[in-house]
Amino acid sequence: MPATPAPWSAGSLIQASYFVTAVLFITGLKRMSSPVSARSGIIWAGAGMLVATLVTFAYPGLSNYPLIGAALVLGAVLAWWSGKRVAMTNMPQMIALYNGMGGGAAASIAAVELYRGGSGGAVGTTLAVVGGLIGAVSFSGSAIAFAKLQGLIKRSIRFPGQQIVSLLLLAAALLHGVLEVAHPGGSGVYVTGLLIFALLLGLAMTLPIGGADMPVVISLYNALTGLAVAFEGFALHNAAMIIAGTVVGSAGTLLTQLMAKAMNRSLGNVLFSGFGEGSAAGGGEVSGSLKPIEASDVGVMLAFAQKVIVVPGYGMAVAQAQHKIWELCQLLIDRGVTVRFAIHPVAGRMPGHMNVLLAEAGVPYDLIGDLEEINGEFETADVALVIGANDVVNPVARTDKSSPIYGMPILNADRAQNVIVIKRGQGAGFSGIENALFYLDNTRMLYGDAQKVGAALIAAVKALG
């Protein structure tokens, strides 16, 4: 008689669930690559995380169900509350904070595993050490990024020999990690030293970095968090952690490279050059004068234009003006004006910041173009409407070799027939570099809060009938 198939064990159920989790994660990530399907991609990936979380309760020998349940409920409530409460303009801070939580979770897993002696021999201990090191750096570094974006830390902190201090902290963390691998399950001194020096390294790496580099820093720590989770997954033989960490780490690494490329800078230059702080920014003198204009005149210019390209920046996010700007654009479209939105990869304070804000306002995806596809259209535009953007439209990036942003790909707003810049005041941007665009003959400055200015432009266009 044929043998009766053995019933599925808990281990088989767990592995099958991890396969489903992997499919959901990868499908979700793929769908997130397009703004049209990004929302459904988040749902797919969320379903994968739900499967991986629920199957945890099937682990053999697991007994602390009340503690796990309480942690899940607390985390879910906090996430739901913060997701509802945090404004879209504060999403960069929230993402930095969540990145840090992921890194901190990976470091905590490493600490638990190492303090109890580890598993899997020298290889398993080494993987736990590497994951703990990276996770701790991501946790403390992301905390500083959050504090900078939130305005809790007003300036970058630098002192002579700072890079040497960072190298010494890295060396000390690595030394304690090596000692832990050589003497696992000891008194815990080496594990404690590893985590303390790693946390200090994250602080030392991030404190000198200025606000203009935050998009790259956020994506870097996102990648580090993913790598830390993957290493801990290998150490624990947990396929879900390996898959999730690898997907997040690889996507974050690619995004970091793309962001650095968009700024024409290497990752080392971002981390160690000190660029991004106003006092450190340099460049040649800008000639010319700023030429103000009234909202009523801009309204006429926009209403009778054939083509308008809108360039949003962080100023639009601060003023929460995306809804007013889209209302203005709808009026122009109704008058037969061709309207496009031009997005620079590093506009705002996080990757995709402007895309998120425009999507919230209901701007159709086919009106939004990235740098490569829309740059050639500026020469045919009657008006380039720049809203709170600065470095990403600064023409010195093409011409001034002494400028810190020389070689950075920019949006060619200066090549439009007319340039209108909506700006709160006459100060330099977040990086502290004076913008030559503002002084060109075809540029006019419309001063004021972007939301109030948007309302004034709407009224001006409506008045024309």
Side-chain angles (χ1 to χ4, degrees):
M1 293 180 63
T4 302
W8 272 35
S9 64
S12 299
L13 173 63
I14 291 171
Q15 297 307 316
S17 299
Y18 285 166
F19 175 77
V20 174
T21 297
V23 172
L24 291 172
F25 279 163
I26 295 171
T27 302
L29 182 64
K30 173 62 178 176
R31 297 188 68 80
M32 287 182 211
S33 62
S34 168
V36 178
S37 57
R39 184 170 183 176
S40 64
I42 294 173
I43 296 175
W44 280 79
M49 184 57 68
L50 179 62
V51 171
T53 302
L54 292 177
V55 80
T56 303
F57 289 92
Y59 258 90
L62 197 66
S63 60
N64 54 345
Y65 294 113
L67 186 59
I68 295 175
L72 287 174
V73 171
L74 179 61
V77 170
L78 288 175
W80 181 87
W81 175 80
S82 60
K84 287 287 187 180
R85 183 176 182 273
V86 173
M88 294 298 292
T89 50
N90 292 330
M91 279 297 148
Q93 295 94 302
M94 188 175 182
I95 289 176
L97 191 61
Y98 278 13
N99 278 347
M101 293 299 102
S108 299
I109 293 172
V112 171
E113 187 70 10
L114 293 172
Y115 276 127
R116 69 182 183 185
S119 61
V123 174
T125 303
T126 300
L127 292 172
V129 164
V130 174
L133 171 61
I134 298 175
V137 169
S138 177
F139 173 72
S140 58
S142 296
I144 296 299
F146 164 80
K148 284 175 173 283
L149 293 169
Q150 189 67 19
L152 302 177
I153 298 179
K154 301 294 186 181
R155 56 183 295 273
S156 297
I157 299 175
R158 303 189 184 96
F159 54 85
Q162 195 153 18
Q163 295 180 18
I164 296 176
V165 171
S166 296
L167 289 174
L168 290 175
L169 290 172
L170 175 60
L174 291 174
L175 175 61
H176 281 78
V178 170
L179 291 173
E180 175 61 26
V181 173
H183 307 283
S187 63
V189 173
Y190 300 141
V191 179
T192 302
L194 165 70
L195 296 175
I196 289 176
F197 284 117
L199 290 170
L200 292 175
L201 176 61
L203 298 177
M205 286 175 54
T206 317
L207 282 172
I209 300 176
D213 282 332
M214 279 302 121
V216 182
V217 173
I218 290 175
S219 60
L220 171 63
Y221 285 136
N222 181 46
L224 290 181
T225 293
L227 291 175
V229 171
F231 276 116
E232 296 308 324
F234 279 112
L236 298 176
H237 308 289
N238 187 305
M241 290 179 64
I242 295 172
I243 295 166
T246 302
V247 169
V248 173
S250 58
T253 300
L254 178 61
L255 181 59
T256 302
Q257 292 176 335
L258 292 174
M259 301 293 285
K261 181 181 178 181
M263 300 174 70
N264 193 40
R265 300 169 61 211
S266 67
L267 184 57
N269 184 258
V270 171
L271 294 175
F272 305 119
S273 72
F275 173 75
E277 179 72 11
S279 60
E285 293 293 329
V286 178
S287 59
S289 60
L290 298 173
K291 297 168 282 294
I293 192 172
E294 296 297 324
S296 57
D297 295 327
V298 175
V300 173
M301 185 185 297
L302 293 173
F304 292 99
Q306 291 184 328
K307 185 175 186 177
V308 174
I309 298 180
V310 181
V311 182
Y314 189 62
M316 186 185 77
V318 172
Q320 302 185 42
Q322 59 269 26
H323 296 282
K324 286 294 182 184
I325 296 302
W326 174 230
E327 183 181 348
L328 169 66
C329 292
Q330 287 177 301
L331 288 175
L332 298 179
I333 293 172
D334 291 341
R335 294 180 64 93
V337 180
T338 299
V339 176
R340 295 291 308 277
F341 290 81
I343 308 297
H344 193 281
V346 295
R349 293 296 177 266
M350 70 175 183
H353 195 181
M354 296 300 107
N355 302 75
V356 170
L357 294 177
L358 294 179
E360 182 198 24
V363 178
Y365 302 123
D366 58 352
L367 297 185
I368 302 174
D370 58 25
L371 184 145
E372 288 79 11
E373 65 178 311
I374 204 169
N375 244 358
E377 298 187 26
F378 279 100
E379 294 181 2
T380 64
D382 297 292
V383 182
L385 184 63
V386 180
I387 309 169
N390 207 309
D391 296 328
V392 299
V393 291
N394 193 340
V396 300
R398 301 194 211 103
T399 58
D400 187 359
K401 293 184 178 181
S402 67
S403 173
I405 64 170
Y406 176 72
M408 170 182 168
I410 63 167
L411 292 166
N412 297 330
D414 59 306
R415 295 178 180 173
Q417 183 175 346
N418 297 283
V419 181
I420 302 298
V421 178
I422 298 177
K423 200 170 182 293
R424 285 189 176 187
Q426 298 184 7
F430 209 26
S431 70
I433 302 172
E434 195 66 67
N435 195 337
L437 173 70
F438 301 163
Y439 297 84
L440 296 180
D441 292 338
N442 62 333
T443 299
R444 297 295 183 270
M445 307 297 295
L446 181 54
Y447 293 113
D449 176 85
Q451 185 169 169
K452 294 179 180 179
V453 169
L457 291 176
I458 291 171
V461 173
K462 287 182 177 180
L464 298 174

